[in-house]
């Protein structure tokens, strides 16, 4: 279970969201369970077929509509301390009609959170005929991607916790074990080292290291193979970790691998060093990509350089060509170039960084060198 931010912080977020909605010409935000609802209210509501919905009008008091059986949980979350009225609905009620009734009488345009289930979006279309619907993400991402000092501290703690797991990889990673066996040990360590939830465990050995989103399999790890370990979780403050290191297991890896790993390490470190206020998101991608391309491996770098991180593992800003967003202090994201040769081997190095007033702070501090783990 994650902890709840101070009420003063949540009220500030609600006020900022309300102001931003008004500036965007939106009469109200409609937010269902997920990270947006947690960000605005601290309520980690269950995503159920029954509707839970925050109504945040551009003018007026917010309301939280909840299933009757979820009212105790909503009350216990502390949302009442934020000045939210909790309005329960019963099994035979139409919650969408209830939300429509609670909206301002002159409502013309509402914004729905980006991850609202399709069945709920369509139900709102039916209950709000003539009301334009748009995405709340256009409003909320502007608030969420600029982290406060408290949020950065939560991300810093998450980064230190996942560093501690990577520091222990030598306890579990060795030839003769399967990826799944190693993954189970890592899973347990993610919790033991300071997370309340495991979000993902990738252990890609040999040819599986060339699949960026491979998870684990029953493949037996062989001596002399590279292994990509990409892991992350969520801590008690509700913020995520994400860190990738590449290991050599049980003996030296092929010379070809050493050559492109050296290029990858140089590209990743140069991209991190480039981060500072005012440079664009796409320029960070370009720094890494240009180094890899100039070395002849451009076609083997098959994904963007990074993604934002906070209450979700992937959120704005995205570090990719075409994103001309200037970076600002408080923006946090991954820097994770990779080089992959399908069917043979691959490598990735990933750190979470945060933009500071003068430059960049890395939240992951484990060495980037290819670490040899003896069998």
């Amino acid at each position: 279970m994650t902890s709840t931010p101070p009420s003063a912080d949540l009220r500030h977020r609600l006020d900022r969201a309300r102001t931003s909605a008004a500036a965007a010409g939106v009469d109200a935000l409609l937010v269902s369970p997920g990270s947006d609802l947690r960000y605005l209210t601290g309520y980690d509501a269950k995503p159920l077929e029954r509707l839970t919905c925050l109504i945040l009008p551009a003018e007026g008091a917010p309301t939280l509509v909840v299933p009757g059986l979820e009212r105790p949980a909503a009350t216990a979350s502390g949302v009442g301390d934020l000045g939210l009225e909790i309005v329960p609905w019963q099994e035979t009620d139409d919650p969408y009609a209830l939300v429509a009734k609670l909206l301002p009488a002159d409502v013309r345009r509402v914004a729905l959170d980006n991850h609202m289930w399709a069945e709920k979006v369509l139900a709102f279309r039916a209950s709000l005929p003539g009301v334009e619907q748009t995405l709340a993400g256009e409003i909320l991402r502007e608030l969420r991607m600029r982290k406060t000092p408290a949020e950065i501290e939560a991300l810093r703690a998450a980064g230190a916790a996942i560093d501690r797991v990577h520091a222990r990889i030598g306890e579990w990673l060795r030839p003769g074990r399967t990826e799944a066996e190693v993954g189970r040990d890592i899973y347990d360590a993610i919790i033991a080292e300071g997370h309340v939830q495991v979000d993902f465990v990738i252990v890609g050995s040999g040819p599986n290291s060339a699949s960026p989103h491979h998870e684990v399999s029953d493949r037996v790890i062989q001596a002399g193979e590279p292994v990509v370990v990409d892991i992350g979780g969520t801590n008690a403050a509700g913020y995520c970790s994400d860190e990738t290191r590449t290991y050599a297991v049980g003996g030296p890896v092929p010379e070809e691998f050493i050559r492109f790993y050296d290029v990858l390490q140089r590209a990743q470190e140069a991209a991190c060093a480039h981060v500072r206020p005012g440079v664009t998101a796409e320029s960070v991608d370009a720094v890494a990509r240009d180094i890899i391309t100039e070395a002849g491996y451009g076609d083997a770098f098959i994904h963007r350089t990074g993604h934002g991180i906070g209450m979700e593992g992937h959120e704005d800003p995205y570090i990719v060509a075409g994103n001309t967003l200037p970076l600002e202090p408080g923006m946090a994201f991954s820097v994770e170039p990779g080089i992959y040769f399908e069917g043979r081997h691959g490598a990735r190095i990933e750190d979470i960084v945060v933009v500071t007033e003068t430059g960049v702070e890395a939240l992951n501090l484990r060495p980037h060198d290819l670490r040899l783990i003896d069998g």
Side-chain angles (χ1 to χ4, degrees):
M1 178 180 295
T2 57
S3 59
T4 302
S7 294
D9 291 351
L10 295 172
R11 282 193 290 268
H12 181 61
R13 293 176 185 178
L14 289 166
D15 288 343
R16 291 176 63 212
R18 181 187 290 110
T19 300
S20 297
V26 168
D27 298 310
L29 301 178
L30 301 180
V31 184
S32 60
S35 60
D36 284 333
L37 184 63
R38 285 191 290 120
Y39 177 80
L40 291 169
T41 69
Y43 180 31
D44 191 9
K46 296 178 181 179
L48 303 170
E49 74 282 4
R50 298 180 177 93
L51 180 70
T52 291
C53 184
L54 170 68
I55 305 170
L56 183 60
E59 296 183 7
T63 303
L64 184 65
V65 172
V66 300
L69 76 169
E70 295 294 321
R71 182 174 186 172
T75 302
S77 74
V79 294
D81 297 337
L82 305 177
L84 273 73
E85 180 184 4
I86 300 175
V87 178
W89 59 273
Q90 304 308 318
E91 295 288 2
T92 56
D93 295 337
D94 180 347
Y96 302 95
L98 174 60
V99 170
K101 182 179 178 180
L102 292 169
L103 284 167
D106 59 350
V107 62
R108 296 177 179 272
R109 190 166 185 247
V110 297
L112 282 60
D113 76 84
N114 287 34
H115 299 301
M116 185 178 289
W117 292 0
E119 63 181 8
K120 295 178 170 58
V121 174
L122 295 176
F124 275 128
R125 285 187 183 177
S127 66
L128 296 168
V131 176
E132 180 186 353
Q133 294 183 9
T134 188
L135 290 173
E138 300 297 322
I139 297 166
L140 295 178
R141 73 163 56 102
E142 293 300 314
L143 309 182
R144 289 183 51 180
M145 72 178 173
R146 295 169 178 84
K147 270 61 178 182
T148 65
E151 289 181 287
I152 293 169
E153 182 55 38
L155 285 168
R156 192 178 288 121
I162 210 68
D163 268 357
R164 292 193 293 272
V165 180
H166 270 288
R168 298 179 58 192
I169 293 297
E171 298 177 27
W172 317 300
L173 186 58
R174 57 183 178 271
R177 302 196 78 202
T178 67
E179 295 172 349
E181 288 170 338
V182 175
R184 282 192 291 270
D185 289 331
I186 293 173
Y187 187 104
D188 292 341
I190 291 173
I191 298 297
E193 293 294 348
H195 299 77
V196 297
Q197 174 182 303
V198 178
D199 295 331
F200 59 92
V201 174
I202 293 173
V203 180
S205 64
N208 290 339
S209 64
S211 175
H213 280 178
H214 175 78
E215 293 183 355
V216 297
S217 73
D218 290 332
R219 185 182 186 278
V220 176
I221 299 166
Q222 305 296 315
E225 289 186 333
V227 181
V228 172
V229 177
D230 184 355
I231 53 179
T234 301
N235 66 12
Y239 286 78
C240 299
S241 65
D242 188 356
E243 181 179 8
T244 308
R245 292 294 184 267
T246 301
Y247 300 90
V249 183
V253 295
E255 283 298 319
E256 174 199 40
F257 185 89
I258 296 295
R259 286 194 296 272
F260 77 71
Y261 188 88
D262 288 344
V263 172
L264 177 65
Q265 183 174 349
R266 182 158 50 91
Q268 198 270 348
E269 292 175 355
C272 287
H274 177 74
V275 174
R276 59 186 180 275
V279 305
T280 62
E282 69 174 358
S283 72
V284 180
D285 179 272
V287 167
R289 198 167 302 276
D290 288 350
I291 290 172
I292 292 171
T293 299
E294 288 168 7
Y297 301 116
D299 290 343
F301 182 10
I302 58 176
H303 55 70
R304 65 195 175 204
T305 292
H307 56 81
I309 192 168
M311 297 183 79
E312 290 182 282
H314 286 197
E315 58 183 52
D316 288 288
Y318 291 98
I319 311 304
V320 64
N323 186 359
T324 59
L325 177 75
L327 299 181
E328 298 178 29
M331 292 183 177
F333 49 86
S334 68
V335 179
E336 52 175 309
I339 297 175
Y340 312 94
F341 294 98
E342 186 174 356
R344 291 155 60 193
H345 44 222
R348 182 166 63 258
I349 304 169
E350 176 186 20
D351 291 319
I352 301 302
V353 303
V354 61
V355 184
T356 68
E357 293 291 339
T358 58
V360 62
E361 176 188 355
L363 303 186
N364 298 117
L365 304 178
R366 294 293 302 162
H368 297 150
D369 296 341
L370 182 65
R371 179 181 170 191
L372 175 61
I373 297 177
D374 294 329

